[in-house]
Each structure stands twice: as structure tokens, then as C-alpha cells.
Amino acid sequence: MSSSCLSCVLLVMASSLAQIPPRDSLPRSCRCLALDCPCSHSGLSSVPSVPAQTRTLDLDYNQITEIQRQDLGSLWELRVLTIHANRLTRIDPRAFSGLWNLKELDLSQNLLSALDHHWFNRLGALEILKLHRNPYKTACVWTSRRIDTGHSEWLSPSCLTSLSVPGCRYDSGALAQIWPLDHVTLSLRSPFALNQTLASALLHDVSDPQTHLTLENLNLSSNRSVLPLREAAQRRVRSAPLSAPLCLLLCLCSSVSAPLCLLPSAPLWEKARWTDHMSLDEVFVKDIVLLNNFEFTAFLSLSFLLQFPRKISLINTKVFVMPCPTSVLLKNLEFFDLSENLLTDMTLTETLCAGAGVLKGLRVLNISANAIKSLSLISRMVTRLTKLTHLDISRNSLTFMPQSCPWPQSLRFLNMSRTKFTSATSCLPPTLQVLDLSYNDLERLLVVLPALRELHLSGNKLLTLPPGWLFPNLQTLTVQMNTLNVFTHSDLVSFPRLQNFQAGLNKFSCSCDFVPFFQSLSDGEINITLTDGIHNYFCDSPLHLQGAPLSLVRRSFSECRHVLLVSICCGLVLVFLTCLGVVLWKVHAFWYLEMIFVWLRAKQKRRKRERKRREDGDTEDRPLVTFDAFVSYSERDSAWVDNYLLPELEQTGLCLHRRDFLPGRWIMDNIVIAIESSRRTLFVLSHNFVRSDWCKYELDFTHFQCLEGNCREDAAILVLLEPLHHDDVPKRFCRLRRLLTSTTYLQWPQDPDLRGQFWTSLRQALSPDQDQD
């Protein structure tokens, strides 16, 4: 039996043919490797000769135009045959009759203009068949499954993908010879509208109780146009979704007193069971365009047919209300999806009969993406639905969550994502096992949910993880895309049963504590799995690690313990400075530094005086030396100076501090000026001298005067009033100790008879004539 048609389409998938180079003299053989013959891209114009034991024959991307009966007749062991992207226009009806063991056949992207059921009669082991991208009116890939009486599993041609060409003809039974298919998609707009015989023949051949049948792009504009659906009903198809827009008005009249009028342009798909009386088990309507007030008519008309549906989905159908009388008729409804519609608080109240609980068997309710604003209203409307387990109210503008709400005790799954909540309260039902609060504006969650197993908090503003003691049975926690900086081991172990954790795409601070903890977590050292993968975790700070994958970050000891290192360094520096200070104090370095400072300051003042004198016009030359000797002695030895030294040497011109120092002048300046104005310095040495700091200044200043080249080597004359050994002089008088060992000194004799010789020697040392020598 055959039927002609103006146009028929089996799963529309139009695509261009592969560009194949022009034919020329091409080889007819290829090289095989063991049981496989990879002959693609070999420029073949016909099926080559291959060994009879070949299991796989790949002839893709050649220029084969025809398959004759004898080409494959001897390949009884062949399992896979692919002839993709060739120029096939003709296949002998018995070309595949000897391929009893063939499991996969690919004839896609060729020039076949028709399907012949004789090709598949003998392919008892066929699992995968690809026929798409051919210029006939079918082009699709399908997947099917059949279980025979012996309970062995057969995978027959899985997915039929085809295309459309005007003016095709269909031979009845062409597809009936193929094993029952699991999924079949038909696009039969014109046959349903103009050639119902053709549409009936197609549906008759592909319909089976095990087949999931999808009808696309239908044009059901009259009672006659729905007649082909009887074929599916007679074959007791269990699942027949109607997908893509339905044209005009769908009116199904089948053993029903009033016609069923579905909404205009309404696609109906997902599972739908067609029986003799066309009663549906599940209805799925999506993306409809409603005209006038057709919603009420549609739903009231549906009630005649849908008195016993278990599942209804009306997605993006512009529906804003379902009358309460219609809801009352849906006695066995278990699944109700009204997402992406125009429901408001008022129309939801009408749809759910003001919370009367008329949908007694309802288990799943989805009213997401509507215009509902009151969470308390939703809770009141569903509180008497005693079997309700799943509730989806996401993508509504709820914003406010009251402190308490009535909920059915059966509620286990609640989706409140993208509802603009800024806080969560005890309104959340304590019986929940799965709660989705993703993509709100929550900063914290402090609600006790003892039965909760899954908590989804992605896309909020959480700074820290919620306390684990609030969720003693929680097993899955997602907190992606929040404002978390870190989470610690104690945060995770506070959840007693946590197994799966997702926290990627947060702005983590890669601190020295967090990085090793995260790496131990990703390495499985902690019995919690990062189900979103370590590739979603990046550093946001410090700045030099910004954007770096957290799993690859390694913090050095110096980075992680810089406070300790600074403390150690500071301690070492302090110890070093302390030791250095002790050493410098031992060697009187501070005293020397002070003395050098005093000397430099005195020299600077002298230069200023000289500069001022020249600026005042005083150009008279003044003698640099006015004294024969500056006497440096301890104040405790002043009696010897007054009683012995001055009477004997006063006429030589001695400079004494208590007599010749200028009052009001800094004492250091007086010392420096006295030394500079004297030819020599007479040091009266005693134990009192070495105990005096002023004497030490005078001794060193004399040394500095000599370093500047303003004195002779014998500028210092030493007079010992009492025996003074080298070791008796403190170490800080290092210059005096050196002078005692390297310079001739005069010692004050205790015998009066020897004192004359002492004075004679001292006068001679202080004599100006000594300078000339």
C-alpha cells in the first residue's frame, strides 16, 4: 500500500551536504589492519574488496555512489559499517541481507532520496542506525530499545533523524519492519492538514506501546486533521508529546461528548498516554499565545478530557488563572506545573480554591516565575495539600519573609531561589529535606532545620558559612558566588554529616592558614567532597595572587610567618645592639664619640670667631702662641701646683684654667683655646689625674692638636707626682698609657735634695730655645 503526499517530514533537520571533490579514476581497495579496515578519505568510488573476517569497515568521506548486492554479501562477521559523507544515491534492496551481525550502520550525509524497508529486514543485531542529512523526507538519528520474550536486550535503530522534500511518497510498512523504537520524532505539518491518510500510515508504522512518540509542527485545524492520531491510540502508544506550535485550534473529538479545545498555538509534549478514548496521563503545554479570554474556555474544556490526569504542565502559556471548578475536577492530579505564567496573589487564590485543599493528591506544585508577591499567601494556599512534597516558588518577587507560616507536614522540597529575600526567618518549614535559597540577597541564615539534607545558598551575600549545629543532618551545601573570604576546618566539621560541598567562585583570601587547609580538603584528607571541582576556586587577595587558582598557590615560610620572622630579626638586632653597646661601653667608645663631638664643635666655634673677626675688619695679625705651657692637672693636685710649680715656673708663662680661662665661655672652648695658645702642654700625672674626665679631654685635645700639624712631637710634657705604672692607668686612657711607654717623663722626687735637678730639667723642657733645637 502506498500514499502520495504534498510534503512529509520525519524529524526536520535540514543541513547542507558535505563538499566532496569531483570524481576521477579512484582506487577500489584499501589497506586493512587485522579485523579493522579504516578506508575513510581514500577516494573510493565503490565498495572495496576486504577480507571476509572484517569486523569494522570505515568508508567515510569517499565518493561511493552505489551499493550493489554483491559488495557486502561475504562480510558475515561485520559489526560496524560507516558510509558517511559519500555520494550514495542507490542501495540494492538486498545489499545488507548478509550482515546478520551488523550492530552499527551509518548512511548519513549522502544523496539517498528514499528509505527502503528491505534494507533492514535481515539486520537482526542492529543497534545504531544513522540516516540523517539525506535529501529525503526523513533525517534524524533515533535511539530505541526492545526487550523480547526471552528477556534478552536488543538495541535496534536508535534515533531516526530525517528531513523533508516536497512531493514525497511513503510506502506503507517501510518503517514497520524496523524493531519498535524507543524514541521517534515526526514533523508532519502538511500531512495532518492535507493528507490524513499519509499521516495515518506513518503513525501506524512507528507506533508501539514501547515507543516514545513526539509530534512536531502539527497543523490540527479541523476535526478531520486529528484522525491520524487514532492510529497511535489503536497501537496504545504510552507516550506521545506534541511539540512545537499547534496551528489554529486543536479540537480532538473522540468518544467525548464535547470537543476538547486546547489553547491556540499550544505545543503539547512530554509524556501523554493515548488510549481508545484519548484519555491523557500527562499533559505538557509550553510557549502558547492566548487570544481574548480563551484561558477559561480552554481549561473548562480540558476538564472533560483531563478528569484523571496525573501530571499537567502549562509553561509560559500566559495563563493567569485556572478557575476553581476546573481545579476541583483534577481529582488525581499529582504534578502541576504553572511556571512562567501570569499568576498573581489573587489568581493563585482562585486557582487553589482559597486553600481548600481540593487537589488532594497533589505532590509537586511549580508556580515559579509568576507575579506572586506574598509568601504567607502561598503557605496558606498549600497548607491543606496534605500530600504535597515538592513546592517551587522561585523567580517570584516575594522579597519579604514573615516570622511564621503554616505549611503542610508532608513538604520536603522547597525552591525559593531568585525571590529577592534579604533575610530568612523561622517561616521556613522544619520538615524540609531540600531547600534552595540561591540568588537572593541573604547575608546570614540562622534558622534551625533539623531534617534538612541539601541546602543551596549560591548567589547570595554570605560572609561566613551558616552554623553547622542548625542543620544536624545536612549532607550537601552549596555556597557558590557569595562574598566568602575563607572557610575553616571548624566551619566544615560543625556540620556533623556534611559530605558534598560547593563554594567556588567566591573572593577567597589566600592566607597562609586557608591555602594549606583548602589543599588538604581538595586532596581528600578531609571526608568532604568538593563537588564543583577545584578549578572554580581562585584567589582574590593578596594582590599579587589575585586570579590565581587556589589549588596551585604555594605560600612560602617567609610570607606566612613574616610576623615571627620580623620578631626574630628585631630580637637579633636588639641583642646585637646590646652586645655592641656593651662592647663600646667597655672600650669607652661613647666617651670617645662624645669627646670627638666636643672637639669638632669647639673647632667650628673657633672658625666662626675667626670669620667674624675678619668680617669686622680686624686684620691685625695676632700671635697664635701666647703661653709657654698649658698646665693640665687634677683639681685635687692643685696644692702641688700652687705651692711648688707656680713659684718655680711663673716667669715661664704658664696657662692655668682657674686663672686664664675666660668666664662665661663654654669650658670646652676654653680648653681648646688654651691648648692652641700654648707651645706645650704640661700634664701633672697622678692617680687623681687618671680619675678626671677633664684631664682626659685635655690629653686627647692635645693629641688632636698634634694630628692637625700644629705641634711638635714633644708638645706633651709628662710630670709624675707619684709612681704611676702602666697598668695603673685605666684602659680608656689609652693615649696616656701609650705616652708612658714611649715618652720620657719627669718624676717628682720625694727627696728635697733632688728637686733642684727636677726644676732645671723642667725649665729646659719648657724653654723656647728647645723649640729651635
Side-chain angles (χ1 to χ4, degrees), residues 11 28 35 72 92 121 162 199 277 387 409 440 452 454 464 470 495 578 660 684 701 753 757 762:
L11 207 156
R28 211 185 122 72
L35 301 178
L72 303 169
D92 187 276
N121 285 348
S162 265
H277 296 286
K387 293 185 178 180
Q409 292 297 315
N440 286 288
L452 198 65
E454 292 187 21
T464 59
L470 298 173
F495 298 90
T578 302
D660 298 314
V684 180
F701 287 166
D753 296 336
Q757 180 62 36
L762 184 56

Side-chain angles (χ1 to χ4, degrees), residues 258-269:
L260 165 65
C261 296
L262 288 179
L263 309 181
S265 302
L268 218 136
W269 65 297

Side-chain angles (χ1 to χ4, degrees), residues 568-588:
I568 292 175
C569 292
C570 291
L572 293 176
V573 170
L574 182 61
V575 170
F576 172 76
L577 293 178
T578 302
C579 295
L580 180 61
V582 171
V583 172
L584 293 178
W585 179 78
K586 284 290 185 180
V587 299
H588 307 287

Side-chain angles (χ1 to χ4, degrees), residues 488-503:
T488 64
H489 181 268
S490 59
D491 292 335
L492 296 183
V493 299
S494 66
F495 298 90
R497 298 186 178 182
L498 187 63
Q499 298 176 1
N500 304 310
F501 182 59
Q502 295 183 14

Side-chain angles (χ1 to χ4, degrees), residues 11 127 140-147 153-160 178-185 205-214 237-241 271:
L11 207 156
E127 296 178 357
C140 161
V141 181
W142 22 272
T143 306
S144 42
R145 177 181 299 268
R146 178 195 179 195
I147 302 178
E153 194 173 88
W154 296 75
L155 290 177
S156 40
S158 326
C159 177
L160 177 60
I178 307 177
W179 264 275
L181 308 176
D182 192 31
H183 294 84
V184 173
T185 303
D205 287 349
V206 300
S207 299
D208 188 89
Q210 302 296 329
T211 299
H212 186 103
L213 178 61
T214 300
V237 173
R238 296 178 181 273
S239 175
K271 298 178 182 176

Side-chain angles (χ1 to χ4, degrees), residues 103-155:
K103 294 184 177 182
E104 179 177 346
L105 176 60
D106 186 353
L107 300 174
S108 61
Q109 198 165 322
N110 282 285
L111 301 177
L112 297 174
S113 59
L115 287 175
D116 189 342
H117 67 89
H118 296 96
W119 298 345
F120 315 114
N121 285 348
R122 302 294 183 90
L123 301 181
L126 191 63
E127 296 178 357
I128 299 175
L129 174 62
K130 297 180 181 180
L131 299 170
H132 58 289
R133 297 190 180 182
N134 280 283
Y136 45 65
K137 298 193 175 180
T138 56
C140 161
V141 181
W142 22 272
T143 306
S144 42
R145 177 181 299 268
R146 178 195 179 195
I147 302 178
D148 68 1
T149 55
H151 302 286
S152 61
E153 194 173 88
W154 296 75
L155 290 177

Side-chain angles (χ1 to χ4, degrees), residues 244-303:
L246 296 178
C247 302
L248 301 179
L249 180 63
L250 172 60
C251 296
L252 298 179
C253 305
S254 175
S255 301
V256 179
S257 57
L260 165 65
C261 296
L262 288 179
L263 309 181
S265 302
L268 218 136
W269 65 297
E270 262 302 334
K271 298 178 182 176
R273 184 176 64 196
W274 301 81
T275 64
D276 290 340
H277 296 286
M278 301 295 291
S279 60
L280 298 178
D281 185 53
E282 301 179 17
V283 176
F284 189 103
V285 181
K286 184 176 181 182
D287 298 330
I288 70 169
V289 179
L290 296 179
L291 303 174
N292 301 324
N293 252 349
F294 194 65
E295 299 88 349
F296 297 102
T297 306
F299 280 113
L300 288 173
S301 301
L302 274 171
S303 64

